[in-house]
Amino acid sequence: MNRWNFDPLELSALALVGALYWRRARPLARRGRAVSPLRLAAFAAGLLMLFAALESPIDTIGEERLFSVHMLQHLLLGDVGALLLVLGLDGPLLRPLLSIRLVHRLRVLAHPLVALPLWAVNFAVWHLPALFDAALRNDAIHALQHSLFVACGMLMWAALVEPLPGPAWFTAPWKIPYVLAMWLVMLVLSQVFIWSNHVYYAPYVHDATLWGLSHLADQKAGGGVMLVESAFTMLPALVWVLLRLLRESEARQQLVDAGVAPATAARAARYGRA
């Protein structure tokens, strides 16, 4: 049960992503546009988070015994890991991908009005008993579930962090309700599990309890894991947006005082000095 997976396919995928990232970062450094150490560290930490979620005992315990640990795995993939990967990206790094026509068209998925609902629906639907149980019983469905958690999580965070420029209207004031909506989704889903009065997922009903937790207590603990993790990610995100709002407001006012038109000052404050 407490075993490491070291699944060859998953390890190969993580190694490939890391190699492609490094292959893109090295030429940028030679041309004097080195990727910042913080960005490199964030991407490496994101890959490490995915590795821990997929290959460590978190995976085996979550699949075989405890729903609460399985919930932790989902959050590491679709929230924490996805955020760290996005923090490791920027325009120069993504330029080769954007030159591919299909990828360029799919960029609309990172629009805030698309990414947030897509992430919320994906996360909620995969926790419906029928799909959740199917993922536990079928490796291909489980791989699809994990892939979509990471992909939709990255789109959701990319819309907020903007490694590529987002819509002109999506300034810091609009990012506040965006983060609050993200947080609300997590809060609502966590309450479903915390206040549950029966076990939702068949595979956990048939397995023996672990660490003295009943099946229902384990399910409630899974809701608690989501509640705590959401606070650790959403609260810093909200603080970051509020600080960005203050910087944008200050920069915009300085430009207006210098005689710049308000509309031009707003754009410059967002993309330039803010």
Side-chain angles (χ1 to χ4, degrees), residues 76-110:
L76 292 178
L77 291 170
D79 199 18
V80 181
L83 172 59
L84 289 169
L85 291 176
V86 168
L87 291 176
L89 300 173
D90 62 7
L93 283 166
L94 292 170
R95 188 166 294 122
L97 277 178
L98 295 176
S99 64
I100 302 172
R101 181 174 299 180
L102 176 61
V103 174
H104 184 75
R105 290 178 178 176
L106 290 176
R107 185 179 168 185
V108 68
L109 296 177

Side-chain angles (χ1 to χ4, degrees), residues 78-79 82-83 86 107-121 150-164 166-167 169-187 230 233-242 244-245 270:
D79 199 18
L83 172 59
V86 168
R107 185 179 168 185
V108 68
L109 296 177
H111 189 285
L113 296 183
V114 177
L116 180 58
L118 184 64
W119 164 79
V121 170
V150 176
C152 292
M154 289 186 68
L155 290 171
M156 179 267 292
W157 283 114
L160 178 70
V161 178
E162 292 183 313
L164 296 172
W169 60 267
F170 195 52
T171 53
W174 284 105
K175 293 179 188 289
I176 295 174
Y178 185 93
V179 174
L180 292 176
M182 291 160 52
W183 204 344
L184 180 62
V185 170
M186 302 289 276
L187 289 175
S230 65
T233 53
M234 302 303 171
L235 185 58
L238 185 60
V239 171
W240 173 78
V241 172
L242 291 173
R244 186 179 178 91
L245 174 62
R270 183 185 178 197

